[in-house]
Amino acid sequence: MPEPQEPEGAIAGTGMGGAMDLAVSEANTLEKGPGPAGGPQGKPRSLWSDAWRDLRRNPVFIISGLVILFLVVISLWPSLIASGNPLKCNLAKAQEGSQPGHPFGFDGQGCDVYTRTVYGARTSVTVGVCATLGVAILGSVLGGLAGFFGGFWDSILSRITDVFFAIPVVLGGLVLLSVVTSNTVWPVIGFMVLLGWPQISRIARGSVITAKQNDYVQAAKALGASHSRQLLRHIAPNAVAPVIVVATIALGTYIALEATLSYLGVGLKPPTVSWGIDISAASAYIRQAPHMLLWPAGALAVTVLAFIMLGDAVRDALDPKLRS
């Protein structure tokens, strides 16, 4: 009776033939290329590559990203779309409506509303980006260290953040900024960082506490990795995603907060060009000349909405529970 034939590529139980068949089998597997869930050479994709793939397919991210890119460009080079001077005014044209060369009309001082709206983007984007970076860096460092070391310093930081959370933001701005006479954006940015870091700190603390319980961190600790190596190499890359999401959404909030403080008269002050200042000046003429309020308020609303939409899209992409 003929002996049964083994299927091609089968691995022998012992001997050199088994090793050779195993090598052939592995070579054939590599030649087939990666599976649908893998990257080059079958390597699994990382969280960041999956997130970027999802973001590129998300229309909310694309639309908000294009709006923000446009705002950044006109913030850096406002003369590309506005050739006038935002501080050049003509009282003879005060509160007049749209005219050739002046599509948004004139404000109560006879300044071109279109030019001031374009130049106001620079102030809002600068305040939002700088405040967000300051809050994210300070909050991440303090919260990350407290979550990693725990104990006494964690308790102290928790009590400090409780105190800051009890301070109303607008009321704190009225008290702290009312004594500032500077016309620059830095006092406003400093105030936002001072009262904004506790939120990021709480997020970073919880994320670090969760990440340091993972097996790879415990293995690095058992192998003698230093505290700095554990934090920077193993914990931070896996704990930074929630901080990025919260900071992106908060950026739009800081832009709205700057406009609110400027509207109340304690934020930015003339001759600085700001949407909040223009909205405050136009509020008294809303019935006689509504265009003075419409355009800066509309630009502010679109900007804040774009950053909030971007933050929501980033959150959906980085949260594994929300990704399909």
Side-chain angles (χ1 to χ4, degrees):
M1 178 181 295
E3 296 182 359
Q5 298 290 332
E6 291 185 349
E8 183 180 0
I11 301 176
T14 58
M16 203 61 177
M20 293 177 64
D21 289 339
L22 177 60
V24 172
S25 177
E26 291 178 346
N28 292 336
T29 302
L30 291 176
E31 289 177 356
K32 293 178 181 179
Q41 297 183 356
K43 295 181 180 179
R45 291 189 300 262
S46 66
L47 171 65
W48 301 103
S49 61
D50 276 346
W52 176 239
R53 181 197 61 183
D54 293 343
L55 287 174
R56 288 181 299 176
R57 300 176 179 178
N58 191 343
V60 174
F61 172 78
I62 295 175
I63 295 173
S64 60
L66 290 176
V67 172
I68 292 172
L69 178 62
F70 174 74
L71 290 170
V72 171
V73 170
I74 67 173
S75 298
L76 296 175
W77 302 285
S79 58
L80 290 176
I81 61 173
S83 58
N85 186 346
L87 301 178
K88 184 179 179 180
C89 306
N90 184 0
L91 284 174
K93 296 184 177 181
Q95 301 183 28
E96 291 186 4
S98 176
Q99 298 179 7
H102 307 279
F104 293 175
F106 299 87
D107 63 8
Q109 300 296 322
C111 302
D112 185 22
V113 176
Y114 172 76
T115 303
R116 290 187 64 86
T117 301
V118 172
Y119 276 82
R122 170 181 292 178
T123 303
S124 297
V125 171
T126 300
V127 171
V129 171
C130 291
T132 302
L133 289 176
V135 166
I137 293 173
L138 181 61
S140 298
V141 171
L142 295 179
L145 292 177
F148 181 77
F149 291 104
F152 174 76
W153 295 111
D154 188 19
S155 300
I156 292 294
L157 181 69
S158 298
R159 301 293 76 79
I160 293 176
T161 54
D162 289 340
V163 171
F164 277 92
F165 277 127
I167 302 175
V169 177
V170 176
L171 179 60
L174 290 173
V175 173
L176 296 178
L177 295 177
S178 61
V179 298
V180 177
T181 59
S182 174
N183 291 330
T184 64
V185 299
W186 300 112
V188 178
I189 294 174
F191 162 75
M192 293 181 181
V193 173
L194 179 64
L195 292 187
W197 69 267
Q199 180 186 18
I200 297 293
S201 177
R202 284 281 178 90
I203 299 296
R205 173 184 174 273
S207 186
V208 168
I209 290 176
T210 301
K212 76 175 184 179
Q213 305 298 329
N214 292 326
D215 292 339
Y216 55 83
V217 178
Q218 299 299 322
K221 183 178 180 180
L223 292 174
S226 62
H227 291 324
S228 59
R229 183 176 179 83
Q230 293 178 46
L231 273 170
L232 300 178
R233 184 69 180 272
H234 302 287
I235 295 179
N238 297 282
V240 73
V243 175
I244 293 177
V245 172
V246 174
T248 306
I249 297 176
L251 200 156
T253 305
Y254 293 138
I255 293 177
L257 178 59
E258 177 272 318
T260 301
L261 295 174
S262 299
Y263 177 84
L264 295 175
V266 296
L268 302 178
K269 301 175 180 62
T272 304
V273 180
S274 167
W275 291 334
I277 295 175
D278 291 349
I279 293 172
S280 177
S283 60
Y285 306 98
I286 186 172
R287 292 187 177 181
Q288 299 91 329
H291 66 275
M292 294 170 48
L293 178 64
L294 175 63
W295 296 110
L300 174 65
V302 170
T303 301
V304 174
L305 180 62
F307 279 106
I308 292 178
M309 290 171 57
L310 180 69
D312 288 340
V314 173
R315 179 199 60 193
D316 295 343
L318 291 179
D319 191 346
K321 297 179 181 178
L322 299 177
R323 290 190 290 109
S324 57

